[in-house]
Amino acid sequence: MNPSFAAAALLCTVLASSTVTAQDGPIGIAFAEAPEQSSGVCTGQNTDKTLACARAKCVDGGALAEDCLRVKWCYPAGWSADLFVQHQEGIHWHEYLCGWDSKEAVQAAAAVACNRDLRPYIIECSTVRFWDNLGQEIAAE
């Protein structure tokens, strides 16, 4: 076999296999929330299906479908975090950070989001959980 033909065949095989891998590529992350009731989080590649999954999990948590709002979608998901935030008047909510390159980066973003000098009206702000760039949930420390 001609060496250049063998190299070209090998290159075609590598490119074809990387195309298949690209279709299996990055995931997105979707967040749905019914304020003060329930929430849902899902990962996937299709925006509509992943947001629908997050809403279904929110409903499974006890909220009505019409109360489960599609809050956020990030693609690629990167490193993500769920923050619990409470206002000085007592109401509370969750804020979601996503698309960060590393755990350290999303932790730095959470520190800014929870900075009481920047947001003096909050009395509590903390990271509840993280998701890595593969969509695996990690408890906050």
Side-chain angles (χ1 to χ4, degrees):
M1 178 182 283
N2 179 332
S4 9
F5 177 77
L10 178 61
L11 179 62
C12 287
T13 303
V14 168
L15 291 175
S17 66
S18 67
T19 301
V20 172
T21 304
Q23 291 174 350
D24 294 335
I27 59 166
I29 190 164
F31 302 92
E33 185 172 348
E36 307 224 6
Q37 297 176 59
S38 181
S39 64
V41 180
C42 286
T43 58
Q45 292 180 309
N46 179 288
T47 304
D48 292 330
K49 288 179 182 177
T50 309
L51 283 164
C53 171
R55 287 186 79 200
K57 284 187 176 183
C58 178
V59 170
D60 289 347
L64 298 174
E66 57 267 21
D67 293 334
C68 290
L69 308 173
R70 298 183 314 172
V71 178
K72 194 167 213 169
W73 161 256
C74 281
Y75 185 87
W79 276 80
S80 305
D82 173 3
L83 305 180
F84 173 84
V85 184
Q86 186 168 7
H87 192 277
Q88 64 192 7
E89 293 182 9
I91 60 169
H92 59 82
W93 63 92
H94 288 257
E95 293 179 4
Y96 302 96
L97 308 174
C98 51
W100 295 91
D101 291 335
S102 65
K103 185 175 184 181
E104 294 76 22
V106 77
Q107 286 174 317
V112 171
C114 290
N115 184 325
R116 291 193 182 116
D117 290 333
L118 299 172
R119 300 171 80 183
Y121 52 88
I122 60 174
I123 60 170
E124 185 176 347
C125 185
S126 59
T127 304
V128 177
R129 55 193 169 159
F130 295 99
W131 291 267
D132 67 15
N133 60 342
L134 299 175
Q136 300 300 309
E137 186 175 325
I138 302 167
E141 298 152 7

